[in-house]
Amino acid sequence: MKRTAFRPLRPLRRSSLSAAPTRPGPDSPMPMKTKTRTTLAALGAFWLTVAAASAAPADAAPALDSTRGQDPLLVRGRYLVEHVGLCADCHSPRNEKGEFVRELWLKGAPLPFQPTVPMPWSPAAPPLAGLPTMNLEQAVAFLRTGKRPDGTEARPPMPQFRFNADDAIAVAAYLKSLGK
Ligand code: HEC
């Protein structure tokens, strides 16, 4: 079966090729102006795309928003949890349509996938909201080293994160704040 996922999104059209500005010769009229206009148009289109992308809602938006006070530490923690570490992929349950259950955001979930080879594996991701199993200090150490307070490591598929101190503190503080 042919996979479509890797086809270019927009096939190159011949018309767009022929419409491309030709290299300005020494006596072509106002070569710079055309070029500048093309560049500006391209830049404009690019920024419009960026603006549209950032205005779009961030996926199946998280239910709990403890960044209401806009504490920069929590804002950063939330960004790292939701957009970098993607913790919800495992730690949030989904409904039968595959959508996150808003009320149970980061409250732990059974994993809907398994390894294809024998390996250590945890069948479920525990709750993170409020960080029920660790205090702030322990959570920071865990996020920096991959070691739990008792020295053990979380089983796969929990990633072995190596956050730096600032990021680990932000993530832990944000997760703690979700318990309030
Ligand atoms: C690919 C799935 C996956 C992702 C992504 C993931 N986790 Fe996990 N996490 C797990 C699983 C599974 C466990 C349970 C491991 C075990 O039981 O040994 C776990 C365990 C943990 C624990 C340990 C809890 C305890 O007391 O033992 C913490 C804390 C944790 N994850 C935090 C995070 C954070 C923070 C993120 C995002 C920055 C994250 N996880 C992303 C799957 C994941």
Side-chain angles (χ1 to χ4, degrees):
M1 215 211 316
K2 206 168 186 189
R3 297 197 52 179
T4 52
F6 299 108
R7 283 214 202 116
L9 285 178
R10 235 177 272 157
L12 210 52
R13 263 180 291 128
R14 204 165 282 281
S15 59
S16 64
L17 282 179
S18 55
T22 49
R23 182 184 291 273
D27 37 17
S28 62
M30 298 186 296
M32 282 313 288
K33 255 195 175 163
T34 315
K35 204 177 170 198
T36 312
R37 217 181 300 139
T38 314
T39 312
L40 284 177
L43 266 179
F46 171 71
W47 283 114
L48 274 179
T49 315
V50 170
S54 50
D59 72 357
L64 299 174
D65 182 1
S66 71
T67 59
R68 277 183 295 263
Q70 296 300 303
D71 177 338
L73 183 70
L74 300 184
V75 172
R76 176 151 187 85
R78 184 180 182 190
Y79 160 73
L80 291 167
V81 164
E82 292 178 4
H83 299 288
V84 182
L86 304 177
C87 319
D89 276 5
C90 296
H91 288 270
S92 283
R94 296 169 188 266
N95 63 22
E96 62 286 348
K97 287 189 207 150
E99 302 156 341
F100 286 123
V101 183
R102 288 169 155 261
E103 308 75 55
L104 298 176
W105 183 248
L106 293 178
K107 297 221 166 147
L111 293 179
F113 53 92
Q114 287 181 14
T116 54
V117 293
M119 60 180 282
W121 189 258
S122 173
L128 292 185
L131 276 177
T133 58
M134 297 182 193
N135 66 30
L136 210 53
E137 209 176 313
Q138 292 168 335
V140 169
F142 175 74
L143 292 168
R144 299 201 62 193
T145 64
K147 299 243 192 293
R148 293 199 191 93
D150 65 2
T152 58
E153 292 174 353
R155 287 167 294 173
M158 171 63 192
Q160 287 268 324
F161 288 111
R162 293 292 187 274
F163 284 105
N164 69 24
D166 287 350
D167 288 349
I169 290 168
V171 168
Y174 171 66
L175 293 176
K176 273 284 178 210
S177 79
L178 294 180
K180 284 174 193 155

